[in-house]
Amino acid sequence: MGDPGALRIRLPRHRLDPRFILWRTLNTFFWAVGVLGVLGTCYWYFDGVRTWLEPVLWVVGAVFLANLLCMPTYRYLVHRWETTDDAVYALSGWISREWRIVPISRIQSIDTVQGPLERALRLATIKVLTASHEGAVKIEGLDRDVARAAVERLNEAARLVPGDAT
Amino acid sequence: MSADPVHAPGPAPDPGSPVPESAVPESRDPEDTGAGPEDSDVPWQRLDIRLVWVNTAKLAASCGTGLAGFLLFPGGVLWPLLLVAAWGVVSTGRDFVRWVFTRYRVTDERVERRTGWLMREFRFVQRDRIRSVSSSAKLRHRLVALRVIHIGTGQATHVRSTFKLDALDRDASERLRRELLPDDQPDPREGETVISRIRWSWLLYNVVHIWAVLSGGLFVVSTYFSLDAVGIDLIDVLTGLYTDVRPSLWAAVGVAVGTLFVLGVGALAADFVAKHWNFELVRATGADGAGTALLTRRGLFTTHTVHRDQRRIRGVHLVEPLVWRWMRLTETKVITTGLTAGLSESADLLPRAPRDEALHVARAVFDDGRHPLEEPLVRHPPGALRRRLLWATYGPAAIAGILWWLGDTGVVATTAWRWPLYLLPVAWALAVVAYRSLGHALVGPYLVVRSGAVNRSTTVLLHGAVIGWRVHQSIFQRFGRRLSIGIPTAAGSRYYELHDAGVDQGLDFISSVNPELAAQFLTSVGEPSSTDSDATVATGSEQSVPDHSTAADDISSHR
């Protein structure tokens, strides 16, 4: 299967917590209720906009339905993460994919973020920040304890590596 | 981890007592040795008093001309002059107060400054955090040989210069600069090689562009207000002219735009001359040949000197606008940490100039004798061209579709859907241009990436400056076996991209730039994916995280 020596990018080792699916579903659901609610109210009250708002409503509704049914599970199957002794590595996306690698020596700070929904579901998001905003890595939907252990580990590792080398 | 050596206004010492107890600037850095001024018997110093005299003189001059104008044209409007005079009085007074209450000193550990009358402020910079010391001077500073000193640290978050001393005697400022950064900034008179000097033919390249009309407009607006102050209403004059001549509408518009353009070109030319007078880019070498720096000097009324330490330089960024490609015009920026490049002018190595000059400067930036910008670039796979042609087709097509539907429902004209289709040939041409500018190369310790249609930008970056990787693959790229690579860095605009490379090209690129890191995440197709077995080293909690990795999910460069 191809020449030896050609490279491939391997998968990060760990999946997210399965509650990620529920979290994303609820998230999408609330967004859908908000957006469709506003559009629907406009449709209901203003006659003038109905001609062009109706197809817009259908399209937005279809997109949200697809998002609600497929996206959370699909993302759960794709998203993966891993920390090694000298890097953080994460894969995310569903239709398109993104692999992000940050060497621990270049980490500037590590944040743990929990929104209200995440708190209720005992999930957490880890944000690894570097000197470049675009170089940050965000790992969403980890079990709270797993996230805490990973952050502790990363902080320990980052302490041992001198300087952010900028 | 992001230490902040600069401190917010805190309770500051009484200017009289050298060691106050109450000064407690906040500090997030545990390594900071102390909170207040150091116990040190280095005497505090004042700013130069000439600053106050020259400001007073400036106030007198501006009020005098205003008054004269008002007396000569008594019909004019008074309030702009009053505003100018009031503002002048306030700023002169503030400068005086600032001079009275500002002290600074340079100790072994840090540079300290205290200032403020009602709002006391104490600020210090650890000397080992200082990344740049630059000086600037307005015309009035230069008349009395003063310089404003800007001391910058390498913090990514700090946009402004963190520490300013306004103003010091020219010789004192030169001494201070050499004291603070002895390695980087040698005596400018020893070991200087000139890399580039202004050529006035560049003036043409820098003033003839579309913004000229806009700056002409600004010029007219400001003229309106200045003439208003002496009793001439520009609008009246122009309307009078219009009714006298009675030109056709198109002629009037043509003349107006033409006039604005000419005025704008004039204004831009004046601005360019004022900024780039005596422009020179030199490499300054220390007496012992140790530290070198790239140094820019320029300016007619306000002189600027920018030092860029060679050790902080990470690369070079060239931008070639499409409209000027036939003249090979290029903007040249340096990618360096410590300077807020991208937005700031201090990153500009050259004004817009011919490409040969840009390459000459780039050769001088890289002091290891390599010429990464002159190496041939690797082309990206033809799929990238197809993708761009598709974008160029379905963009206008989608707009046409929406317009057709809107025309059908009577919102816009029924023929409107044809207009975007006329753009198709232009869009296709741009797609081809965009594809032709895609490319990358690896030259010694440098990586080169190039992309862009309207502005072709070429970036040369040191391998060591890369602070992570961001590999992106859309679903179409997955089918076409291509990927895009984002390259975060701490310098310059902090993010550069390699667009639409083949999977092999992209992964080879990563593993050549960062072999040790790549060894962990990129595996050869021939090898078994061995890394699954030692999963226990990854985190402390693997047992709770099931692993379902299958080779089929990987993107592999050969299927």
Side-chain angles (χ1 to χ4, degrees):
Chain A
M1 220 162 112
D3 348 320
L7 292 170
R8 67 186 181 107
I9 188 162
R10 72 169 173 84
L11 284 175
R13 284 202 192 94
H14 315 298
R15 282 196 196 281
L16 306 176
D17 192 283
R19 290 194 300 276
F20 170 83
I21 301 176
L22 182 58
W23 173 61
R24 278 314 271 258
T25 310
L26 286 174
N27 236 341
T28 317
F29 177 72
F30 289 133
W31 268 104
V33 167
V35 173
L36 290 177
V38 170
L39 290 180
T41 317
C42 290
Y43 184 79
W44 195 257
Y45 278 106
F46 305 107
D47 290 344
V49 297
R50 279 192 195 169
T51 36
W52 61 268
L53 197 57
E54 192 184 342
V56 171
L57 260 175
W58 280 115
V59 170
V60 173
V63 168
F64 268 119
L65 189 68
N67 255 353
L68 207 57
L69 293 182
C70 312
M71 185 267 282
T73 316
Y74 202 152
R75 274 188 183 275
Y76 173 74
L77 293 175
V78 172
H79 284 217
R80 280 160 173 278
W81 68 284
E82 162 175 357
T83 63
T84 70
D85 284 339
D86 37 27
V88 181
Y89 178 32
L91 164 62
S92 63
W94 61 304
I95 293 176
S96 55
R97 313 237 154 136
E98 190 160 271
W99 293 256
R100 294 193 184 206
I101 305 173
V102 172
I104 282 180
S105 60
R106 309 308 186 114
I107 293 177
Q108 296 231 322
S109 67
I110 305 161
D111 297 351
T112 316
V113 188
Q114 278 188 298
L117 261 182
E118 274 184 301
R119 252 201 312 269
L121 292 169
R122 286 182 295 110
L123 292 173
T125 296
I126 300 180
K127 277 185 188 166
V128 178
L129 303 177
T130 67
S132 161
H133 174 71
E134 284 83 354
V137 175
K138 196 161 89 171
I139 308 168
E140 291 175 318
L142 294 175
D143 180 82
R144 203 172 49 191
D145 300 329
V146 174
R148 191 178 302 139
V151 168
E152 263 167 33
R153 220 188 103 77
L154 279 177
N155 271 322
E156 184 64 18
R159 212 173 48 79
L160 296 176
V161 184
D164 60 2
T166 51
Chain B
M1 222 158 290
S2 76
D4 186 347
V6 179
H7 297 277
D14 182 60
S17 79
V19 188
E21 297 90 48
S22 61
V24 186
E26 54 196 83
S27 170
R28 287 186 282 131
D29 189 352
E31 287 159 24
D32 275 354
T33 46
E38 261 180 295
D39 280 328
S40 164
D41 42 11
V42 179
W44 291 88
Q45 289 173 295
R46 289 189 160 217
L47 302 177
D48 203 295
I49 183 66
R50 274 176 290 173
L51 164 80
V52 176
W53 305 142
V54 80
N55 276 338
T56 316
K58 180 190 139 212
L59 172 68
S62 69
C63 286
T65 37
L67 196 64
F70 182 64
L71 291 177
L72 290 176
F73 304 93
V77 187
L78 191 59
W79 61 265
L81 294 180
L82 285 178
L83 273 184
V84 168
W87 188 77
V89 170
V90 167
S91 70
T92 309
R94 216 180 42 200
D95 272 340
F96 179 67
V97 169
R98 188 163 59 81
W99 177 79
V100 170
F101 288 99
T102 304
R103 300 284 191 287
Y104 74 94
R105 65 176 184 180
V106 181
T107 67
D108 293 342
E109 296 287 314
R110 50 201 205 185
V111 185
E112 302 178 331
R113 185 192 72 182
R114 26 180 236 215
T115 186
W117 172 28
L118 296 175
M119 283 287 290
R120 295 278 169 79
E121 188 183 320
F122 173 74
R123 193 177 262 200
F124 68 83
V125 181
Q126 295 283 347
R127 282 179 67 172
D128 57 0
R129 297 283 165 76
I130 295 175
R131 297 289 181 266
S132 66
V133 178
S134 60
S135 66
S136 66
K138 296 212 165 81
L139 178 61
R140 59 176 189 276
H141 292 122
R142 290 176 59 199
L143 286 177
V144 289
L146 290 178
R147 292 289 180 271
V148 183
I149 294 280
H150 308 265
I151 298 173
T153 57
Q155 297 298 309
T157 48
H158 282 281
V159 173
R160 68 211 155 82
S161 143
T162 49
F163 201 109
K164 193 166 99 171
L165 292 173
D166 176 8
L168 301 184
D169 180 57
R170 186 176 51 200
D171 298 332
S173 79
E174 192 67 15
R175 270 200 308 279
L176 182 65
R177 197 166 59 68
R178 240 173 289 147
E179 188 184 347
L180 291 178
L181 292 177
D183 310 341
D184 323 343
Q185 287 155 29
D187 190 320
R189 273 162 292 280
E190 45 185 288
E192 266 193 9
T193 14
V194 176
I195 298 168
S196 181
R197 277 212 175 93
I198 187 78
R199 260 171 247 152
W200 290 110
S201 56
W202 296 351
L203 179 64
L204 189 69
Y205 310 143
N206 284 275
V207 297
V208 185
H209 47 81
I210 197 72
W211 294 110
V213 177
L214 196 72
S215 67
L218 281 179
F219 181 73
V220 167
V221 170
S222 66
T223 319
Y224 167 75
F225 281 110
S226 334
L227 289 179
D228 200 32
V230 293
I232 301 170
D233 190 344
L234 195 63
I235 295 179
D236 273 355
V237 176
L238 289 181
T239 354
L241 203 66
Y242 185 76
T243 39
D244 287 348
V245 183
R246 294 219 157 276
S248 73
L249 181 68
W250 287 112
V253 168
V255 168
V257 170
T259 318
L260 285 184
F261 187 73
V262 170
L263 282 175
V265 164
L268 286 179
D271 182 60
F272 182 81
V273 170
K275 271 188 181 152
H276 291 91
W277 191 260
N278 275 342
F279 170 90
E280 57 178 4
L281 178 70
V282 301
R283 174 174 291 289
T285 315
D288 48 354
T292 75
L294 282 180
L295 221 127
T296 303
R297 291 197 202 95
R298 61 183 175 82
L300 181 57
F301 305 114
T302 303
T303 50
H304 283 277
T305 311
V306 185
H307 289 255
R308 307 177 194 87
D309 181 358
Q310 182 69 31
R311 286 169 305 177
R312 304 195 194 291
I313 290 178
R314 300 288 184 267
V316 165
H317 184 68
L318 301 187
V319 180
E320 294 160 275
L322 178 62
V323 209
W324 297 110
R325 197 81 56 80
W326 57 277
M327 266 169 88
R328 301 169 66 78
L329 281 195
T330 307
E331 291 160 23
T332 316
K333 287 175 185 295
V334 67
I335 300 173
T336 161
T337 60
L339 291 179
T340 52
L343 299 171
S344 126
E345 282 184 348
S346 44
D348 287 341
L349 281 183
L350 276 186
R352 210 179 258 193
R355 186 176 163 82
D356 290 341
E357 187 68 22
L359 291 180
H360 165 71
V361 165
R363 275 198 293 272
V365 170
F366 307 122
D367 55 358
D368 57 358
R370 289 186 191 267
H371 308 150
L373 280 165
E374 283 148 77
E375 299 290 325
L377 298 185
V378 179
R379 270 288 162 81
H380 291 189
L385 174 62
R386 281 197 294 275
R387 188 183 188 208
R388 273 155 189 74
L389 284 173
L390 270 178
W391 283 342
T393 311
Y394 69 63
I399 298 174
I402 292 172
L403 283 177
W404 178 81
W405 170 57
L406 285 178
D408 205 38
T409 50
V411 181
V412 297
T414 42
T415 53
W417 64 274
R418 289 189 209 132
W419 301 337
L421 299 185
Y422 298 134
L423 290 177
L424 276 176
V426 181
W428 286 332
L430 278 179
V432 174
V433 170
Y435 172 69
R436 287 180 54 88
S437 50
L438 286 181
H440 66 274
L442 291 159
V443 185
Y446 303 99
L447 62 90
V448 187
V449 295
R450 192 177 71 182
S451 67
V454 178
N455 279 311
R456 181 169 78 175
S457 71
T458 315
T459 305
V460 181
L461 203 63
L462 274 167
H463 289 179
V466 178
I467 61 170
W469 295 100
R470 196 167 139 177
V471 182
H472 187 92
Q473 194 175 41
S474 73
I475 190 155
F476 301 109
Q477 283 181 320
R478 187 136 47 111
F479 294 143
R481 316 209 29 70
R482 297 186 315 275
L483 43 75
S484 296
I485 296 178
I487 307 163
T489 172
S493 52
R494 319 227 181 250
Y495 190 61
Y496 297 93
E497 277 176 287
L498 169 62
H499 293 282
D500 254 341
V503 168
D504 294 337
Q505 292 177 334
L507 297 183
D508 280 345
F509 184 81
I510 294 180
S511 77
S512 320
V513 172
N514 237 335
E516 295 111 54
L517 199 63
Q520 294 185 30
F521 305 113
L522 306 182
T523 47
S524 291
V525 172
E527 292 172 23
S529 61
S530 58
T531 43
D532 294 336
S533 54
D534 56 352
T536 40
V537 294
T539 72
S541 50
E542 285 74 35
Q543 284 74 12
S544 63
V545 188
D547 185 82
H548 305 293
S549 109
T550 55
D553 286 347
D554 292 16
I555 53 164
S556 102
S557 51
H558 289 268
R559 290 186 192 174

